Amino acid sequence: MTTDVINNYLSIQENIKKIRVNKKVNIIAVSKTFNMDQIAPLIGHGHLHFGENKLQEAFYKWSDIKSNNKKIKLHMIGKLQSNKAKKAVELFDYIHSLDNEKLANVLSKSEHSLDKKINYFIQVNIGNESQKSGIPLNLVDQFYTYCSLELKLNIIGLMAIPPNDNNTNKHFQFISEHNSSLNLPELSLGMSSDYLIALKYEATFLRIGSAIFGKRN
Ligand SMILES: *Cc1c(COP(=O)(O)O)cnc(C)c1O
């Protein structure tokens, strides 16, 4: 059976509306591993924000579509190596995985050489888990200052993937408070399994894959 992408998408929108009446929430349809045949209906429906986690796959799938449809916004949500940063600035409109100084330096240089500015989320290692990427909590403020003041990167919010420990509320609340304390306008939080929780904590960008496109192989 094929997954009905549009129906899934519409019911997620309904769920969001029940919780967030006024404030704008953006769904990022995470299309990693899915092919254009599966993604196209959502583009046709007018959805604009899509997320990928691998640079090469993203180029292959999105280069032509993006040059023909300037309204589409592409989000890099996966680990980014600094030697691929320039390519990423070329293709993406948002990077959610800004997580180290070396990468930040190369991104800033790439913006200059390409004469292009994009938007960034600082990825925070909210549970201080050794296997996860992200800036440790105690270094977030310093890193934010460096990126925004020294490098002039347009940092619009924090991003986090919470530990799998049944304390999602606590983690989301913490990151949301930290986001507010930095006066950041956006917050990248919530996936298929926890986006309704993320909404309670002021998330403005939800990264939703399988709940829209179905199970990944
Ligand atoms: C794959 C991915 C998602 C989407 O995950 P689903 O559980 O399919 O919604 C969100 N964020 C990141 C960083 C991802 O890699």
Side-chain angles (χ1 to χ4, degrees), residues 30 32 53 77 159 161 190-193 207-211 216:
V30 176
K32 63 186 186 194
N53 70 339
I77 61 169
M159 176 275 214
I161 305 166
M191 308 179 22
S192 293
S193 58
R207 309 177 309 267
I208 303 181
S210 49
R216 281 182 297 272

Side-chain angles (χ1 to χ4, degrees), residues 139-155:
L139 299 178
V140 170
D141 291 12
Q142 197 184 323
F143 184 67
Y144 167 69
T145 304
Y146 177 72
C147 291
S148 55
L149 295 185
E150 298 276 325
L151 300 179
K152 312 283 184 230
L153 295 178
N154 189 29
I155 309 292

Side-chain angles (χ1 to χ4, degrees), residues 48-51 66 69-75 93-94:
L48 297 177
H49 290 272
F50 292 88
K66 278 202 87 206
N69 187 342
K70 304 275 187 235
K71 283 188 178 163
I72 286 186
K73 302 295 178 202
L74 206 55
H75 297 252
D93 303 285
Y94 297 77

Side-chain angles (χ1 to χ4, degrees), residues 4-12:
D4 194 333
V5 170
I6 301 294
N7 269 343
N8 293 344
Y9 174 78
L10 292 176
S11 63
I12 290 168

Side-chain angles (χ1 to χ4, degrees), residues 89-194:
V89 173
E90 256 179 74
L91 181 69
F92 287 94
D93 303 285
Y94 297 77
I95 291 174
H96 293 240
S97 44
L98 176 55
D99 65 355
N100 69 81
E101 216 168 276
K102 185 179 172 202
L103 175 62
N105 292 337
V106 184
L107 288 166
S108 173
K109 281 205 192 100
S110 306
E111 286 195 341
H112 283 290
S113 63
L114 296 165
D115 193 22
K116 181 182 177 193
K117 296 286 288 176
I118 65 171
N119 302 304
Y120 298 93
F121 290 90
I122 292 173
Q123 185 169 353
V124 180
N125 191 344
I126 193 176
N128 285 321
E129 297 173 284
S130 57
Q131 78 279 16
K132 274 202 187 133
S133 321
I135 297 282
L137 282 168
N138 60 326
L139 299 178
V140 170
D141 291 12
Q142 197 184 323
F143 184 67
Y144 167 69
T145 304
Y146 177 72
C147 291
S148 55
L149 295 185
E150 298 276 325
L151 300 179
K152 312 283 184 230
L153 295 178
N154 189 29
I155 309 292
I156 58 173
L158 302 179
M159 176 275 214
I161 305 166
N164 198 358
D165 65 359
N166 295 319
N167 285 320
T168 306
N169 276 276
K170 192 191 82 184
H171 296 301
F172 280 0
Q173 179 173 7
F174 189 88
I175 193 94
S176 179
E177 285 172 4
H178 208 95
N179 207 65
S180 309
S181 77
L182 292 170
N183 281 316
L184 290 166
E186 310 292 345
L187 177 60
S188 171
L189 219 56
M191 308 179 22
S192 293
S193 58
D194 56 15

